[in-house]
């Protein structure tokens, strides 16, 4: 029997680069534990592969967005403590309590009550993290509610407040005034609760870990930097230039044709050739996460040369003008969407700038039909 066919558009995940980035971040973290953030399928990198590698490296605690994400990792056989970062509803309390290594982030009394009941049913205390909004303006109780919230939790016999946490909304900006004010608020909370038996205070994301001194407390929660991407152009820590992008995104040429000058290409003929042109087709479309809004704006690398994407990006295919490579280009040639070929590189930041968004969105949007191919010790596997 022949081998099963492979998708031609693929994301390559370089585990050695992940290890390298983590080493840099560990240095920054000092004595604080590093709790890698692997939510949203590890920012599009493939949570199963990333989590497995993290366990191999000795990481024990990781952060996910939801109990569904945590369960998928447990079902994949990846044994770790999963801090569940997003607010959730009491309907998930049973699932959260069913696994001793799930540690939900809690910010409503309804959820405390539901988890308390689920803990009684499970016959063991549920470890949780109380989220305090020190200035993020998203989820969390207000700082002046913390005392009452902790009292409420203490009255429920099967709850254990293991952590108190917060989050930075502006640590990636050049002006750190707001982050320092927030840090001061969090420090007061730490001091006020020192006798409460809380194990872990944690607040820092990548930008804070890199650029807000003393924001580490007991644990830090880096996401984007671990994947080798900078949180923003304003993060100045020199270690940012040493980060290595973990993900490369590549495809291959599946069709080539010469067209005359003035030929309309793809839906709506949003592009007409200016001269006789050699046009390549790649099996890459907006269904793969290559945004339609990049139409006629992106470049891709073929044979080490940047070539313009032309015409509308469609669901499954896009066109590239490879006229500059006449006589050199052929069917099956590798095409780089994000990554490096020879001396030429295209970054997630470049695509983000064209789409007026952030690198986070570019990598998390790479679609589920794009296989993640793990590169470890030079070998590929999926
Ligand atoms: C609560 C929380 N902590 C940590 C992170 C990691 O942030 P970053 O990827 O900027 O390091 C996130 C990501 O959005 C988050 O929501």
């Amino acid at each position: 029997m022949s081998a099963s066919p492979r998708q031609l558009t693929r994301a390559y995940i370089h585990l050695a680069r992940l290890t390298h980035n983590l080493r840099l971040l560990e240095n920054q973290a000092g004595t604080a534990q590093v709790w890698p953030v692997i939510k949203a399928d590890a920012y599009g990198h493939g949570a199963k592969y990333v989590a497995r590698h993290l366990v191999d490296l000795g990481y024990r605690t990781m952060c996910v967005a939801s109990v569904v994400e945590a369960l998928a990792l447990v079902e994949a056989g990846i044994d770790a403590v999963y801090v569940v970062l997003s607010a959730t509803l009491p309907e998930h309390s049973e699932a959260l309590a069913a696994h001793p290594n799930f540690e939900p982030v809690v910010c409503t009394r309804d959820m405390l009550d539901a988890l308390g009941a689920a803990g009684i049913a499970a016959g063991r205390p549920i470890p949780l993290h109380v989220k305090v909004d020190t200035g993020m303006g998203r989820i969390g109780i207000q700082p002046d509610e913390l005392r009452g919230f902790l009292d409420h939790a203490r009255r429920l016999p099967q709850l254990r407040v293991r952590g108190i946490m917060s989050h930075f909304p502006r640590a990636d900006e050049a002006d750190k005034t707001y982050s320092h004010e927030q840090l001061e608020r969090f420090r007061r909370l730490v001091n006020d609760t020192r006798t409460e038996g809380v194990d872990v205070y944690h607040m820092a994301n990548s930008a804070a870990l890199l650029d807000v001194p003393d924001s580490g407390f007991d644990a830090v929660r880096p996401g984007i930097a671990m994947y080798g991407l900078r949180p923003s152009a304003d993060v100045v820590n020199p270690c940012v230039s040493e980060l290595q992008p973990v993900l490369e995104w590549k495809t291959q040429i599946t069709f080539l044709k010469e067209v005359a000058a003035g030929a309309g290409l793809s839906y709506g003929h949003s592009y007409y050739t200016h001269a006789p042109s050699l046009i390549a087709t790649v099996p890459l479309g907006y269904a793969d996460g290559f945004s339609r809004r990049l139409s006629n704006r992106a470049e891709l690398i073929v044979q080490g040369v940047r070539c313009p994407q032309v015409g509308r990006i469609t669901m499954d295919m896009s066109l590239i003008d490879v006229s500059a490579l006449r006589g050199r280009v052929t069917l099956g040639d590798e095409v780089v969407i994000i990554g490096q070929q020879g001396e030429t590189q295209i970054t997630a930041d470049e695509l983000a700038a064209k789409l007026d968004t952030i690198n986070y969105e570019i990598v998390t949007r790479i679609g589920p039909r794009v296989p993640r191919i793990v590169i470890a010790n030079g070998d590929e596997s999926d």
Side-chain angles (χ1 to χ4, degrees), residues 13 29 141 261 337 342 371:
I13 308 302
I141 58 169
I337 309 143

Side-chain angles (χ1 to χ4, degrees), residues 122-133:
R124 60 171 186 82
I126 310 298
L128 59 89
H129 300 255
V130 175
K131 179 90 173 245
V132 185
D133 185 359

Side-chain angles (χ1 to χ4, degrees), residues 175-192:
D175 182 350
K176 303 289 195 243
T177 312
Y178 189 80
S179 298
H180 288 303
E181 287 167 9
Q182 242 192 308
L183 195 54
E184 208 34 59
R185 256 172 250 145
F186 195 67
R187 271 199 203 106
R188 278 200 292 276
L189 296 179
V190 174
N191 286 333
D192 291 350

Side-chain angles (χ1 to χ4, degrees), residues 7-85:
Q7 284 281 9
L8 298 175
T9 298
R10 312 162 110 207
Y12 294 88
I13 308 302
H14 295 269
L15 294 183
R17 299 185 192 174
L18 193 64
T19 309
H20 164 91
N21 297 333
L22 278 160
R23 248 183 240 130
L24 292 176
L25 297 176
E26 288 283 356
N27 277 341
Q28 299 294 313
T31 56
Q33 294 175 55
V34 173
W35 289 357
V37 179
I38 56 164
K39 63 194 173 111
D41 202 25
Y43 291 38
H45 291 61
K48 277 185 246 171
Y49 309 120
V50 170
R52 209 166 274 134
H53 187 60
L54 291 170
V55 168
D56 288 348
L57 292 176
Y59 288 91
R60 175 90 189 107
T61 303
M62 307 169 198
C63 303
V64 295
S66 69
V67 68
V68 174
E69 289 186 349
L71 275 171
L73 292 166
V74 168
E75 277 157 20
I78 302 160
D79 183 27
V81 172
Y82 296 107
V83 177
V84 178
L85 292 177

Side-chain angles (χ1 to χ4, degrees), residues 241-254:
S241 60
E242 292 175 55
L243 292 172
Q244 297 176 355
V246 171
L247 178 143
E248 289 194 291
W249 192 13
K250 297 178 179 175
T251 185
Q252 287 176 268
I253 293 175
T254 51

